[in-house]
Amino acid sequence: FRFKDSLAEDLRRADLVISHAGAGSCLESLEKGKPLVVVTNEKLMNNHQLELAKQLHRDGHVLCCNCSTLVETLQSMDLSTLKPFPPGQPEKFALFLDKVVGFQ
């Protein structure tokens, strides 16, 4: 997509998501329980996307490839090996912040 206000409906209908490794794209797909193939751009400087993709792959949540290996990855993928992404726990972060700033 070039630009779209929301991908929520597309994600809801998707059987598989192929995305760049932006944190928002990865987390939104994983939170919806969608299998995710992350395509990294290794030419980016200070590549936090590559770091995120590799960690999610090591943890078993995504398949990871680059543009030149995408077709091979799609042909050989086994989505049954992917682990569900655990739900977020924002209340724990809120409690931590409360302690740090002295509200508790």
Side-chain angles (χ1 to χ4, degrees):
F1 300 104
R2 188 158 192 209
F3 175 79
K4 207 167 189 182
D5 287 332
S6 173
L7 295 175
E9 180 60 22
D10 299 293
L11 284 174
R12 189 189 66 72
R13 293 189 344 243
D15 294 320
L16 172 70
V17 176
I18 301 171
S19 176
H20 74 131
S25 300
C26 290
L27 293 177
E28 190 172 0
S29 299
L30 291 171
E31 287 171 350
K32 299 277 191 274
K34 300 301 179 172
L36 177 60
V37 175
V38 176
V39 182
T40 62
N41 180 352
E42 296 170 345
K43 295 178 183 176
L44 293 176
M45 292 180 66
N46 301 320
N47 198 347
H48 64 279
Q49 287 189 10
L50 182 58
E51 293 173 22
L52 176 63
K54 285 184 175 184
Q55 187 62 53
L56 289 171
H57 179 71
R58 277 192 297 270
D59 292 344
H61 301 299
V62 304
L63 298 174
C64 186
C65 64
N66 57 43
C67 288
S68 63
T69 60
L70 176 59
V71 172
E72 178 185 334
T73 299
L74 294 173
Q75 290 172 337
S76 65
M77 70 184 177
D78 179 0
L79 298 178
S80 70
T81 63
L82 296 178
K83 297 176 185 175
F85 191 72
Q89 297 177 324
E91 62 282 352
K92 285 187 176 182
F93 182 67
L95 288 173
F96 170 76
L97 274 182
D98 285 346
K99 285 181 184 178
V100 169
V101 296
F103 291 137
Q104 281 188 338

